[in-house]
Amino acid sequence: MSVDTVSLTGRGRTSPTTALRFRPRSGAEAAAFVRGRGPRGALARGLGSAHGDAAQNAGGSVLDMTALRRIRSVDRDTGTVVCEAGVPLDRLAATMLPLGWYLPVTPGTPRATVGGAIATDAHGRDHPAAGSFSRHVIALELLTADGTVRTLSPGEPLFDATAGGLGLTGVVLSATVRCRRVGTSLMTVDTARAGGLDGALALLERCAPAQYAAAWIDLTATGRRLGRGLVRRGEHAPPTALPARARRTPLDPGPGLPATGTGLPLLPAVPAFAPRRLLARTAAGLLNEVRHRAEPRSRSGGLQRLSAFFAPLDGLPGGATVPGRGATVRYRFALGHGQEETLRQVVRRLASRHCPASAGVLERLGAAGAGWLSFPLPGWSLSVELPARAPGLAGLLDALDDEVAAAGGRVALCDDARVRPATLAAMYPRLAEFRALRATQDPTGALCSDLSRRLGL
């Protein structure tokens, strides 16, 4: 087991902290490490795809789980796979796709592990039908704070607290996951332009629950164009939808046909000589205008590779970050049905501040899962990425927190780096139960993170 000292951040690159990093090569090494942890405790970490400080542990220890990446067994008939927690989701998808199976839930980034998907109870763009990731976990092995390993099943309190529990109930060592059957490696994609937020909401409402659907929202537009966007919906393509030559190998991850209907056009790279201040003031608005106008009013029946559909922002310069360089804050919140006016008010406030946001991603959410700290609730989710040094950002987001909490909504903890502890209880009604279970299971605080200390979890 290798050991080193590293400075760690989330994907947003805010608030770096230093920790002692251990790389266990087996569950036994991980258990020995947890038993011998230092006074600042320990925390499991995967590929670091959480945007905030949920996978950091200042002055303590971090278990880098990426060496635990064995796929132990696959049942070709049922699509059930047993794998270690460090298996990346994109590797799991690549393993299962040739067998006619795919990830049960596909989050917005392929840079996540199975353990991370459980710890955040990740959801995808078909949440109304598929729910979150932990709904498809049949069993998991959890290394608890006392160094013992427990096998858990859905419905057990410790399982439900672990689903979305951000690694604070134990270290996930392995999981048994049931995948979804697919007939091809392609998606059929429809794209439509929405002239405003109401149009985007209406288009998303009309999507079938089983469809993957999301809207890109222009957060620089105001007035009648407020919340204009592009709505993409897709389904796994049946073999009959493929051209004749592609039907011979329908599960080939890269069949020889052009991808169409990207939904988020690739934009030219920003010139290296462009002044940084000019980028901060105008680039977001300019790129959003180009992106919106580049799409037709509607387009249906396009074929697209899975990778292009599920991670379209990976094709943009800089990925999903705002124009220019520097740390970013992701503000992702959910509001229930009937709270659309609060959603409009949040979009209006973001647009009026002229924050250089690259995009807002609007999704429809289905029923909440069993996870005590899981993010989704029936209604809507909006995610926006903002430059951490934007003037007045802290005050703006605190005010938005108050509006969201008053409307019965919540922010996503896996992306958070700044929410106030007092606001959290109003957002997560099972927070007291989670804290009580933690106090029983881990009375000495062996498992902790920067986020848990900041929010008193």
Side-chain angles (χ1 to χ4, degrees), residues 122-217:
H123 74 277
R125 295 179 180 182
D126 60 343
H127 186 266
S132 298
F133 193 88
S134 297
R135 172 176 165 182
H136 306 274
V137 176
I138 301 170
L140 61 83
E141 289 182 317
L142 188 73
L143 171 62
T144 55
D146 60 1
T148 61
V149 178
R150 296 179 58 179
T151 300
L152 304 176
S153 301
E156 297 183 51
L158 187 54
F159 182 102
D160 293 344
T162 299
L166 305 168
L168 300 175
T169 61
V171 179
V172 176
L173 297 177
S174 70
T176 304
V177 182
R178 182 180 290 116
C179 295
R180 70 165 69 201
R181 187 177 288 281
V182 296
T184 73
S185 63
L186 294 173
M187 304 289 293
T188 56
V189 184
D190 299 338
T191 305
R193 259 201 271 176
L197 182 61
D198 288 346
L201 292 171
L203 286 168
L204 289 174
E205 280 281 14
R206 291 200 291 268
C207 294
Q211 288 182 311
Y212 299 90
W216 166 82
I217 298 297

Side-chain angles (χ1 to χ4, degrees), residues 156-439:
E156 297 183 51
L158 187 54
F159 182 102
D160 293 344
T162 299
L166 305 168
L168 300 175
T169 61
V171 179
V172 176
L173 297 177
S174 70
T176 304
V177 182
R178 182 180 290 116
C179 295
R180 70 165 69 201
R181 187 177 288 281
V182 296
T184 73
S185 63
L186 294 173
M187 304 289 293
T188 56
V189 184
D190 299 338
T191 305
R193 259 201 271 176
L197 182 61
D198 288 346
L201 292 171
L203 286 168
L204 289 174
E205 280 281 14
R206 291 200 291 268
C207 294
Q211 288 182 311
Y212 299 90
W216 166 82
I217 298 297
D218 183 357
L219 292 174
T220 65
T222 56
R224 289 185 300 177
R225 302 184 305 163
L226 181 78
R228 68 176 180 176
L230 302 169
V231 178
R232 280 201 317 164
R233 53 188 181 272
E235 296 177 284
H236 291 280
T240 55
L242 273 59
R245 61 192 171 97
R247 292 179 196 171
R248 294 192 293 267
T249 55
L251 294 170
D252 183 345
L257 77 163
T260 60
T262 59
L264 286 177
L266 300 185
L267 304 179
V270 178
F273 56 80
R276 184 72 54 83
R277 291 182 181 179
L278 177 64
L279 287 175
R281 290 195 306 266
T282 66
L286 176 61
L287 295 182
N288 286 346
E289 182 72 23
V290 171
R291 186 180 299 165
H292 187 75
R293 290 181 177 273
E295 286 294 321
R297 292 189 180 277
S298 65
R299 176 169 51 195
S300 61
L303 287 174
Q304 194 170 65
R305 296 183 181 94
L306 287 164
S307 58
F309 179 82
F310 286 115
L313 291 178
D314 287 354
L316 296 177
T321 59
V322 296
R325 297 178 180 178
T328 61
V329 172
R330 177 174 292 169
Y331 190 67
R332 181 156 61 116
F333 66 93
L335 289 167
H337 292 297
Q339 297 298 330
E340 287 77 11
E341 185 52 42
T342 302
L343 176 62
R344 292 186 193 94
Q345 179 63 18
V346 171
V347 173
R348 191 174 295 116
R349 292 188 67 169
L350 288 168
S352 67
R353 290 294 296 264
H354 303 292
C355 291
S358 62
V361 177
L362 178 67
E363 298 174 312
R364 186 166 59 116
L365 300 177
W372 294 1
L373 294 186
S374 293
F375 167 67
L377 53 79
W380 306 99
S381 167
L382 180 65
S383 175
V384 56
E385 215 161 305
L386 300 161
R389 294 185 179 181
L393 181 63
L396 170 64
L397 296 185
D398 284 348
L400 295 184
D401 285 345
D402 293 338
E403 292 186 43
V404 169
R410 60 184 61 150
V411 298
L413 293 180
C414 65
D415 288 328
D416 177 61
R418 30 73 43 202
V419 75
R420 294 159 295 168
T423 311
L424 192 65
M427 295 180 172
Y428 286 89
R430 302 197 71 173
L431 179 62
E433 291 178 75
F434 182 83
R435 285 172 169 159
L437 181 140
R438 284 253 297 151

Side-chain angles (χ1 to χ4, degrees), residues 46-73:
L47 290 169
S49 59
H51 207 82
D53 58 1
Q56 298 171 219
N57 186 20
S61 301
V62 168
L63 280 81
D64 183 331
M65 301 295 289
T66 54
L68 297 175
R69 50 184 290 131
R70 290 185 303 155
I71 296 178
R72 295 177 179 171
S73 67

